[in-house]
């Protein structure tokens, strides 16, 4: 049996009781270590908590050597641990498909992920449109298709969850070209970088008011950990906001219901100022909808 | 302290270790018992698992008597348990706001909910548009605004999660009018009812091919429980599908990537037939996008 087990968001104790029981039956335990990180745990603390060895699975192992992970899973149990929920990344779907091809039964143990825990900022999940991803801009690669998706959502009055880039165990272009397995230090996009990149695209596109420096944004930092913070302000102010340690996500609200706004304003430094920002934004969105 | 604790989807063991530890510090434990149900657990099995008494909280208690729940939460811990994740329903946001007004600290312990666990059908979460809700049609109330939202999603090539109505502890109109606290037996919408209602609206609207009886749908039943099933077919065939015990959700795919379709076809009775259905649907969506 292959167990795909979600670890949730913060610490080793965010695993479910069922997930923990499953791990204890497993001959080998892998931790997927390149699409996300557990903020308050590492390999050692997990090993101590589970009482067994944990093998870090990098992109190469999962995407090119899945059969190594699955070896023997027809006769004993193997656990593959994923931060958040197991279906957060296509990679894990791949592993699931490969297991089925080998006639290995698969059981999934779900957990919270950013995709549902983002509800913590008070905007209702069913008022979100499609989720977008924002990657680190480089000198010659500044993809901006996320902009069109946010605009599409906002035209419908919907909120947008913006997932921020994580670079773990990435090679520089030079090292990749030369086949040298030397990896760059991990990088996690912070709120200021995200907001700045969005402002750059707004400036380039210059397509009116549907997104502007005064559009509200919600900085969600270390969601589900003890040091979780949520902070709402204009994109312009967020581009200078110190969001602290990773991980971060950003929400661009669409039209907010009164209850949503009531909940959100607890996360503002100046409630009245944010309310007038939100009200101005709502007028823009209302005009576009009608 | 008020703990808002997500229970996940299936059994008592789907709670997180941290959630379970929090409950054990609490003076009183409430279970929200009207927006969803745990499929493989009840009040008694939870009490046995937690080793403490659990009080069922119905809509009246939560929405009209929140202060009863919060009483004493300034000096000791109170747990409010929610199936799925605590931010799945506006009601729980209300309770959170009320606690803050009373200066009671609130801690949220997240868990899986349908909003992220729906990834189990193989369609990537970031390719979903807005979620819609489908309520039981009555003789004189057949709201169809969900139709426009599905169309909006499909025009963008996005998948739609359709949440199906749950009626727990509801009064008949007559009993409500007469103030009699007599409640109807619980009802959970099944896949056949959902698909039939959608087909009725398709028939009424008659607006072309963006939704038709041959549009694919994915029936997701008892997600996260031991008896979970996923079944993909046309909406027409789903309107005659026996989906078994609750709970159910329905997904209407948008444009599917190859990997998404590869994963999904494992859930079809006739893979080739479904692939041609999906291919025809993709042509329709592609035309509308271009």
């Amino acid at each position: 049996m292959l167990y795909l087990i979600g670890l949730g968001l913060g610490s080793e104790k965010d695993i479910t009781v069922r997930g923990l029981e499953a791990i204890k039956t497993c001959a080998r335990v892998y931790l997927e270590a390149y699409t996300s990180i557990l903020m308050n745990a590492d390999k050692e603390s997990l090993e101590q908590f589970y009482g067994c060895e944990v093998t870090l699975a990098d992109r190469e192992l999962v995407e090119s050597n899945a059969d190594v992970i699955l070896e023997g899973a027809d006769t004993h149990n193997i656990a593959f641990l994923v931060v958040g929920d197991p279906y957060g990344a296509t990679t894990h779907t791949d592993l699931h498909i490969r297991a089925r091809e080998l006639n290995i039964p698969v059981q999934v143990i779900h957990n919270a992920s950013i995709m549902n825990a983002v509800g913590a900022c008070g905007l209702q999940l069913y008022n979100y449109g499609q989720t977008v991803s924002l990657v680190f801009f480089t000198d010659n690669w500044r993809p901006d298709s996320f902009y069109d998706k946010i605009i599409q959502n906002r035209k419908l009055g919907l909120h947008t969850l913006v997932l921020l880039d994580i670079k773990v165990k990435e090679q520089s272009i030079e090292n990749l070209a030369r086949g040298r397995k030397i990896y760059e230090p991990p990088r996690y996009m912070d709120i200021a970088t995200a907001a700045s990149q969005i402002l750059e695209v707004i400036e380039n596109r210059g397509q009116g008011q549907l997104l502007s420096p005064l559009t509200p944004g919600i900085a969600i930092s270390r969601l589900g950990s003890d040091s979780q913070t949520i902070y709402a302000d204009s994109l312009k102010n967020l581009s200078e906001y110190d969001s602290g340690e990773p991980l971060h996500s950003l929400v661009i609200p669409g039209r907010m219901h009164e209850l949503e706004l009531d909940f959100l304003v607890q996360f503002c430094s100046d409630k009245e100022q944010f309310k007038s920002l939100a009200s101005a934004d709502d007028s823009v969105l209302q005009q576009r909808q009608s």
Side-chain angles (χ1 to χ4, degrees), chain A residues 122-194:
Chain A
L123 304 190
Q124 294 300 316
L125 291 178
Y126 51 78
N127 292 333
Y128 280 77
Q130 60 189 318
T131 299
V132 306
S133 294
L134 191 54
V135 298
F136 279 113
F137 282 178
T138 66
D139 288 344
N140 45 23
W141 197 57
R142 306 172 96 75
D144 61 2
S145 61
F146 70 86
Y147 178 91
D148 302 299
K149 293 179 179 174
I150 299 174
I151 295 288
Q152 281 172 346
N153 285 339
R154 282 171 64 79
K155 278 183 183 167
L156 298 171
L158 299 171
H159 315 315
T160 308
L161 168 61
V162 185
L163 300 176
L164 307 189
D165 204 1
I166 290 174
K167 294 243 182 269
V168 180
K169 222 178 166 184
E170 300 267 336
Q171 290 162 281
S172 67
I173 291 171
E174 193 189 338
N175 285 327
L176 193 66
R178 297 182 183 223
R180 292 189 298 220
K181 292 193 173 170
I182 300 171
Y183 302 99
E184 303 296 303
R187 290 198 302 155
Y188 308 96
M189 191 184 287
D190 61 17
I191 296 295
T193 305

Side-chain angles (χ1 to χ4, degrees), chain A residues 174-223:
Chain A
E174 193 189 338
N175 285 327
L176 193 66
R178 297 182 183 223
R180 292 189 298 220
K181 292 193 173 170
I182 300 171
Y183 302 99
E184 303 296 303
R187 290 198 302 155
Y188 308 96
M189 191 184 287
D190 61 17
I191 296 295
T193 305
S196 300
Q197 292 194 180
I198 294 172
L199 290 179
E200 180 187 313
V201 177
I202 290 173
E203 172 106 11
N204 291 343
R205 299 286 196 102
Q207 283 179 348
Q209 299 174 296
L210 262 181
L211 265 178
S212 84
L214 293 181
T215 300
I218 307 165
I220 299 175
S221 298
R222 299 168 298 282
L223 180 60

Side-chain angles (χ1 to χ4, degrees), chain A residues 8-289:
Chain A
L9 296 161
S11 81
E12 59 272 6
K13 290 188 177 176
D14 286 328
I15 195 171
T16 66
V17 173
R18 196 152 68 90
L20 185 59
E21 287 184 357
I23 287 177
K24 291 186 181 292
T25 71
C26 286
R28 294 197 312 280
V29 178
Y30 294 92
L31 171 64
E32 190 269 88
Y34 63 96
T35 63
S36 192
I37 54 162
L38 268 182
M39 289 170 284
N40 305 127
D42 56 19
K43 180 178 179 301
E44 286 67 34
S45 67
L46 290 180
E47 287 181 332
Q48 194 173 2
F49 187 65
Y50 303 150
C52 69
E53 200 187 323
V54 171
T55 304
L56 290 182
D58 59 19
R59 190 182 294 274
E60 204 181 327
L61 178 65
V62 179
E63 297 185 0
S64 309
N65 295 300
D67 288 2
V68 173
I69 295 173
L70 296 172
E71 196 188 332
D74 50 339
T75 53
H76 44 258
N77 293 341
I78 307 291
F80 187 79
L81 312 181
V82 179
V83 175
D85 186 72
Y87 287 113
T90 43
T91 313
H92 316 135
T93 320
D94 268 337
L95 186 65
H96 194 155
I97 290 176
R98 181 65 189 141
R100 292 188 66 98
E101 286 168 356
L102 298 170
N103 287 317
I104 295 166
V106 179
Q107 199 176 333
V108 177
I109 300 180
H110 291 286
N111 211 319
S113 63
I114 179 71
M115 303 296 282
N116 71 337
V118 67
C121 73
L123 304 190
Q124 294 300 316
L125 291 178
Y126 51 78
N127 292 333
Y128 280 77
Q130 60 189 318
T131 299
V132 306
S133 294
L134 191 54
V135 298
F136 279 113
F137 282 178
T138 66
D139 288 344
N140 45 23
W141 197 57
R142 306 172 96 75
D144 61 2
S145 61
F146 70 86
Y147 178 91
D148 302 299
K149 293 179 179 174
I150 299 174
I151 295 288
Q152 281 172 346
N153 285 339
R154 282 171 64 79
K155 278 183 183 167
L156 298 171
L158 299 171
H159 315 315
T160 308
L161 168 61
V162 185
L163 300 176
L164 307 189
D165 204 1
I166 290 174
K167 294 243 182 269
V168 180
K169 222 178 166 184
E170 300 267 336
Q171 290 162 281
S172 67
I173 291 171
E174 193 189 338
N175 285 327
L176 193 66
R178 297 182 183 223
R180 292 189 298 220
K181 292 193 173 170
I182 300 171
Y183 302 99
E184 303 296 303
R187 290 198 302 155
Y188 308 96
M189 191 184 287
D190 61 17
I191 296 295
T193 305
S196 300
Q197 292 194 180
I198 294 172
L199 290 179
E200 180 187 313
V201 177
I202 290 173
E203 172 106 11
N204 291 343
R205 299 286 196 102
Q207 283 179 348
Q209 299 174 296
L210 262 181
L211 265 178
S212 84
L214 293 181
T215 300
I218 307 165
I220 299 175
S221 298
R222 299 168 298 282
L223 180 60
S225 83
D226 295 338
S227 62
Q228 169 181 320
T229 58
I230 300 178
Y231 177 67
D233 206 332
S234 66
L235 287 178
K236 183 164 171 284
N237 288 345
L238 288 177
S239 72
E240 292 167 2
Y241 170 61
D242 179 3
S243 51
E245 293 293 305
L247 301 169
H248 311 282
S249 302
L250 182 69
V251 171
I252 314 265
R255 299 198 68 191
M256 288 186 271
H257 292 227
E258 196 181 328
L259 185 66
E260 293 181 309
L261 189 57
D262 276 356
F263 193 81
L264 185 59
V265 291
Q266 67 179 296
F267 305 120
C268 301
S269 56
D270 185 333
K271 287 184 193 191
E272 291 314 313
Q273 196 181 33
F274 186 83
K275 276 184 183 173
S276 56
L277 205 68
S279 169
D281 190 58
D282 192 65
S283 301
V284 172
L285 296 180
Q286 193 179 6
Q287 274 185 324
R288 287 301 296 254
Q289 273 194 303

